[in-house]
Amino acid sequence: MRRVSTTNLIPGMVTAEDVYNYSNQLILPKGLILNDKTITKLAFYSILQIKVEDQVSESSLDVTPYEPSYAEKIRKSPDFLKFQAEFEEDVVHFKKEINDVVEKGAPLDADKLVDQALGLLELGASYPNVFDMLHCMREYDDATYVHCMNVALICNVFARWLRMDEKEIRLATVSGLLHDIGKTRIPDAIIKKPGRLTDSEYDIVKTHPQEGYRLLQNSKLDPQVLGAVLMHHERCDGSGYPLGLTGSKIGTFAKMVSIADVYDAMTSARIYRGPLCPFTAIALFESEGLQKYDTHFIMTFLENVVNTYLLNDVRLNNGLTGHIVFINKNKLSAPTVQTSEGFLDLSAHPEITIEALI
């Protein structure tokens, strides 16, 4: 058996031990053949690494193959190529700014960073769904910086869905941009360790919210942004860290970042595959996470994400294809799909799910 980073897991790998979250709740049992959905579940619970068997199960041939057409169509579009070039340039600038703050104690120019992020959104405005653009960005060596940029852009769109004013939208954006800055203070030997993390090493990784807060506490940032950096791993049911806070004690922007952070981790592209179907992530939120997040925020977020895919073509797990014609507000992951065999209300057929966008 071997220890593998969650971001490097591939469908067909087999868990070599029971997998528990930080609250000692069983997430996946030993001997489970991983697929996209269970790998997404690990991202949902912020599991960094798991043990897998040395041999990939032959049953992996039965795992639903990745359907590349939708993601490839996006990545080949002129709009995406322009967006990607600007995105990569902005990540380089963002990394330099943050490194200057961390290593040289330079003052943080948050307005400059936010303006760069907003420029990206303006560039992606001509594309129907900027979320698709973000999900198709591949994992880079500077994964933390790419993830922070993604979360900043998601928070910006999220704030508009919540009908926040322009000041609040900027605060939400900078909160997303800086939420994981504390990871720059976690030793590479731990973050990139190929073997199993010890309990004490896991505890060090979980200090990144406090480390980020310490790095920024003497800056001129709005206190709400500092709160988001400190509390983005808190959950409304008290199951988060570092303080185990419950709903009313968690700041507004921290609640927003917590949702954007998990959604991006679940739906971002990986080296071995394109982005996961958003409906997989939405189904996981519905089945395991709604109580963990502010009700108004999570429902606003998920409903708006789903609405961006209205009339989109999809493939179902029963082999049928069709397009989404109606959103079920009581079960957002299960809309009505028009297929060659007629209209199919997925909320009335829980055994049938959306497998991929096509």
Side-chain angles (χ1 to χ4, degrees):
M1 67 181 66
R2 56 200 170 96
R3 175 73 59 168
V4 177
S5 168
T6 302
T7 57
N8 293 328
L9 292 172
I10 298 173
M13 288 181 172
V14 179
T15 55
E17 63 181 3
D18 290 340
V19 180
Y20 295 87
N21 68 0
Y22 295 121
S23 301
N24 207 33
Q25 174 188 357
L26 180 66
I27 303 301
L28 299 178
K30 178 180 178 181
L32 181 72
I33 301 172
L34 295 174
N35 56 24
D36 278 341
K37 185 173 183 179
T38 48
I39 293 172
T40 301
K41 188 173 183 178
L42 293 171
F44 181 87
Y45 282 100
S46 301
I47 305 298
L48 300 177
Q49 298 177 328
I50 67 168
K51 278 186 178 180
V52 298
E53 300 292 353
D54 292 327
Q55 298 296 321
V56 173
S57 170
E58 294 180 3
S59 298
S60 64
L61 296 175
D62 298 328
V63 176
T64 301
Y66 162 57
E67 170 56 62
S69 60
Y70 186 78
E72 285 185 354
K73 180 174 66 175
I74 294 169
R75 289 197 294 270
K76 290 178 181 178
S77 71
D79 286 336
F80 176 76
L81 294 175
K82 186 185 297 185
F83 183 90
Q84 182 182 39
E86 182 66 28
F87 184 98
E88 292 174 347
E89 183 177 335
D90 285 355
V91 167
V92 171
H93 291 316
F94 175 52
K95 180 179 180 181
K96 181 181 184 304
E97 290 280 342
I98 295 304
N99 284 345
D100 285 347
V101 171
V102 174
E103 298 172 7
K104 302 178 183 179
L108 178 69
D109 190 344
D111 287 334
K112 177 182 177 182
L113 294 177
V114 171
D115 286 340
Q116 288 178 341
L118 295 181
L120 268 175
L121 281 177
E122 291 175 3
L123 195 60
S126 61
Y127 199 82
N129 191 347
V130 71
F131 274 46
D132 284 339
M133 307 276 267
L134 297 179
H135 299 337
C136 286
M137 302 301 296
R138 292 295 190 183
E139 285 288 301
Y140 296 93
D141 290 338
D142 300 326
T144 295
Y145 300 94
V146 171
H147 171 64
C148 284
M149 186 68 73
N150 276 3
V151 172
L153 299 181
I154 292 172
C155 282
N156 183 280
V157 176
F158 189 7
R160 296 178 191 279
W161 288 341
L162 290 167
R163 301 185 184 279
M164 291 183 164
D165 62 33
E166 287 302 317
K167 179 182 178 181
E168 292 172 317
I169 291 170
R170 289 185 72 88
L171 290 175
T173 306
V174 74
S175 294
L177 200 58
L178 299 176
H179 77 283
D180 264 352
I181 189 175
K183 285 187 177 178
T184 62
R185 301 300 295 268
I186 305 300
D188 279 350
I190 294 178
I191 292 291
K192 299 179 180 179
K193 182 179 178 180
R196 179 175 184 173
L197 294 182
T198 65
D199 290 343
S200 60
E201 288 169 336
Y202 269 119
D203 287 340
I204 291 172
V205 171
K206 289 168 63 179
T207 65
H208 76 269
Q210 299 106 306
E211 291 294 338
Y213 181 85
R214 291 189 189 102
L215 277 170
L216 300 172
Q217 64 181 338
N218 294 323
S219 67
K220 297 180 181 179
L221 289 170
D222 188 289
Q224 295 177 90
V225 173
L226 294 177
V229 172
L230 179 63
M231 296 185 285
H232 68 276
H233 278 290
E234 300 290 354
R235 298 294 182 260
C236 288
D237 62 357
S239 64
Y241 65 87
L243 303 173
L245 301 178
T246 53
S248 61
K249 298 178 182 178
I250 303 171
T252 293
F253 299 111
K255 290 177 178 179
M256 294 175 64
V257 171
S258 69
I259 294 169
D261 180 30
V262 172
Y263 183 79
D264 182 65
M266 290 195 292
T267 57
S268 290
R270 295 291 182 246
I271 293 173
Y272 73 90
R273 60 149 173 84
L276 290 180
C277 176
F279 288 90
T280 302
I282 292 167
L284 193 54
F285 271 113
E286 288 180 326
S287 65
E288 301 193 37
L290 294 183
Q291 75 280 5
K292 296 179 180 294
Y293 302 95
D294 180 280
T295 301
H296 175 56
F297 286 2
I298 189 62
M299 296 311 297
T300 298
F301 182 82
L302 296 182
E303 184 173 335
N304 278 278
V305 168
V306 170
N307 283 334
T308 65
Y309 293 103
L310 187 63
L311 303 181
N312 207 105
D313 291 331
V314 296
R315 187 183 68 235
L316 306 179
N317 65 345
N318 63 0
L320 289 176
T321 61
H323 57 276
I324 299 170
V325 295
F326 180 76
I327 303 300
N328 180 357
K329 291 189 176 182
N330 294 320
K331 186 71 172 177
L332 293 169
S333 61
T336 296
V337 178
Q338 184 178 7
T339 73
S340 59
E341 298 182 3
F343 293 91
L344 184 59
D345 179 1
L346 299 186
S347 67
H349 298 276
E351 75 283 3
I352 304 176
T353 60
I354 295 176
E355 188 173 66
L357 303 171
I358 59 176

